[in-house]
Each structure stands twice: as C-alpha cells, then as structure tokens.
Amino acid sequence: MTTLIAGIETDRLRHFATREAIRFAASRPNTQAALAAGDGAFLAGVPMHWMRDWPMPFALLVESAKGARITDVDGYRLDDFCLGDTGSLFGHSPAPVAKAVAQQARRGLTYMLPSPDALEVGRLLTKRFGNFRWQIATTASDANRCAIRVARAVTGRPKILVFNGCYHGTVEDVMVALADGQTVTRAGMVGQVANPAAHAVAVEFNDIAALQAALAAGDVAAVLAEPVMTNCAMVLPDPGYWLAVRAACDAAGTLLIMDETHTVSSGLGGWARGNGLQADIFVIGKSIAGGVACAAWGLAPEVARRFVAYDLTRTPGHSGMGTTLSGNPLQFAALRANLGAVMTRKAYAHMEKLAARLEAGLAAAITGVSAPWHVVRVGARVEFICAPGPLRNGSQALAAQCPPVERALHLGLVNRGCLIAPFHNMMLISPMTKKRQVDRLIGAFVEVLAELFD
C-alpha cells in the first residue's frame, strides 16, 4: 500500500529530496571550502545557531545582495523572496537608505544622545502608523518586552494573553502554548528556569468566547497579538473578529498590543490601521529601517499619560527597559530615509500587484496537480501551505506543517534559483521585485510539483 505525505508518495519524496541535496552540494564547492576553513570559530559553525536550520545540506554564504536578488560565493544569483525574512522587505540596500547610512557613518555611529534625524523620525512614525508616543528599540523582541512591561505597569496586572502557536520574538514572558486546554510553557526552550505559564495565558486565535473567558478573570494586562498569525502558517482573522477582541479588551480593562513586525507587509501603515483597528500599544520591527537593525514601540496617548503618571511614582533606577545601542543615530538616519522615501504608497501598490500574481500562479500550480494544499496572502506576503485550508487557529496551523515536504520543496526551489523563507513556506514581494522574478518562481514551483505529484 502506497504511503502518502501531504498527498505525495513517500518514496517519490525521498528520491527527490536526496537528488536535490546532492545537486546542491555538488554545485557549491567554494561554499563548502569556505565553511570548512572557518569551522570551529562559531558555535555550530554559524554566527547564529538557527542559521543551520535552513533546508540545505549546509548554509549558503552570501557574497552580496541588491534589490531582490542575492549572489552567493559560488556565483549563483538567487531571486530572493525571503528578504531576510522581512528585515529587507523593501529590498536589499534601498538607495536612499544606503546613502543615508554612508553619510551618517562619517558623522558617528552611536552617541547615547538623539540626532536631528530623530525628531523627523518621530513625525514619520506617526504619519505612517498613527498617533502614538514612540520609543526606539533594536529588535522587535526588545520592543515587545518593553510593551509588556508598560502594560503590566499601567494596569497593575500580571498576565499577558497570546494566541496558541504565536511567536513574538525571543520574549520569555509569552513562550507558552495550549496543551489539553491548559496553558503550559512551550517545549524546547534552552536553559529555562522560570515558568512563563504562571504569568501568561494562551487561547486559540479566532475563538472570541475563549478570549472573553480568559479576560473575565480580571488579571490580564494585555493581549499581545499579530493581526494575522504569520509565524506558524498564516491564519487570517474571521470577519468581525478584531472588532470583538477590541470590545472585549475595553470591557475588561485590558490593553491591546499589536505586533505588526510581519503584517506591515499588508499595506502602508500596517494591517490594523488599514482595517480601522486601534491598538493601545503598537510594535513594529525588522523592516522599518530598510535592513538596519531597528524596531519601535508606541503608546496611544491615553496609555502614554497613564505610564507617565506611573513612572513618576516608581523608585528611581533601572527600569528593565532599553539597551545602550538602541536609538543610535545610524538607526535614525536609516529610519528617516526608509520611512520617508522607500515605504511609500507607490511601493506598496507594486508589491500588492506582484503578490497577487504570485498567489494566483501558486494556486494554479497546486490545482494543476490536485494537491491537497492551499495558498494564503496578506498584502505582499504569500504562503503556500501543504494542507487543505483555510486555517482558523494555531493548532490547525501547527498540524498543517509538513517539514519533510517543505524542506525538499525549499531545496528544489533553491536549485532552480529561488530563495524563500526557511522556517515556513513564506514569500515576500519587495518594491524592487520584478515581474520576471515572480514568473520564474511560479515556473520553478510548477516544475517541482510536477516531479513530486506526476
């Protein structure tokens, strides 16, 4: 009896994956030699341990990146739909950002004091994302940690509610999951001592009754959420869901933190602003400085007023928020250039048009081989999911993941000149992405599916 995985015969999948791994390794002798020469200096052989988790036999070494393409040390040019998994959402080295960074580098890299650019950045952040009182961080993880502290401070409550299957960066406070209806500490965390489940609660996305029940206890300071779940497999909100969440938070005295680090791909200003949803605290990271490490978090005016009042009463000293290099002038130069000259309505129109083309092409390819898969899109972010859809919550999203198929397919796309995000089947369109690049990706996807399903 033939065994299937995501609709593919297991023997066929194994043969394809083995062949593609051999093809990749044979085509990159310079990469292998360089990795071998540098082996031993880095833990796990790479600067960040998760770089070894790419679905290739060994990591690529990038020689350069420009626009929506990267070139590796073996001279292969790859159409880049990973885009630093959102960090380079607006393309690699946008000209205004590259120019601003070069100019600022000659004036100094960090001062622990604001620069004139900072004042303009505050205005641009408000113009792009709404009326918030801003602070700068270096990563979205940092920004979310600060948002959580503020929420607990102004409400006097200990707990943070998140959605099962979510990921908001390396934020220990919310590393929880649902198991048999109970909130538990997420498995796999390194060196974990404290129990995050003691001060966090997880519910399923799109389940308003579960959220209302959790808020009824009166101990939840904030709901921390992406407006669209993106970090397991993309899950869209049901119609009216966020209006109901907003009303539930207001009734319970709970703050709503919108983490739009990924959903900034949905349109100018992010998903919440585009859909009329008012956040109490807004978090944005990765892409806002055009590839320079930077994030921002902002408080709605009333929350800011409450925090200022709280801050006046606390004991002077360490707040637990902020890092020395955050808010440096290099960040502000890049932010000013990216927010003002790169992150524009025209750019988003281009991204949306090509993302719709990609969505249609992938869906047609899936239909063409009768695969039990589906495609989902949020603005410039597109994802194929190796299971029927649509998905409604994190449990379904986690169950839909199919690592053996995904790894083989990712590697097959790399061997055909297309790079997508490593940890799920996500693709991004930048303002620099060309129609011919989208068509090449669709063609490569069609070719791989034909080998897996015919």
Side-chain angles (χ1 to χ4, degrees), residues 16-76:
F16 176 84
T18 300
R19 189 194 68 199
E20 294 297 320
I22 293 171
R23 176 180 172 183
F24 177 88
S27 66
R28 286 175 167 81
N30 294 342
T31 300
Q32 291 193 73
L35 288 172
D39 189 33
F42 288 112
L43 179 66
V46 286
M48 288 291 287
H49 64 90
W50 47 257
M51 290 179 177
R52 66 185 177 184
D53 294 335
W54 278 82
M56 292 92 96
F58 47 84
L60 284 172
L61 286 179
V62 177
E63 177 68 30
S64 63
K66 184 65 178 175
R69 179 170 287 174
I70 65 172
T71 302
D72 69 19
V73 297
D74 285 280
Y76 288 97

Side-chain angles (χ1 to χ4, degrees), residues 18 56 66 105 109 117 122 127 160 162 180 195 238 263 301 328 334 336 342 353 375:
T18 300
M56 292 92 96
K66 184 65 178 175
L109 299 178
D117 281 337
K127 178 182 178 182
I160 304 297
V162 292
D180 299 322
N195 176 22
D238 290 342
T263 54
N328 67 67
R336 182 173 185 173
V342 179
K353 180 179 179 180
V375 179

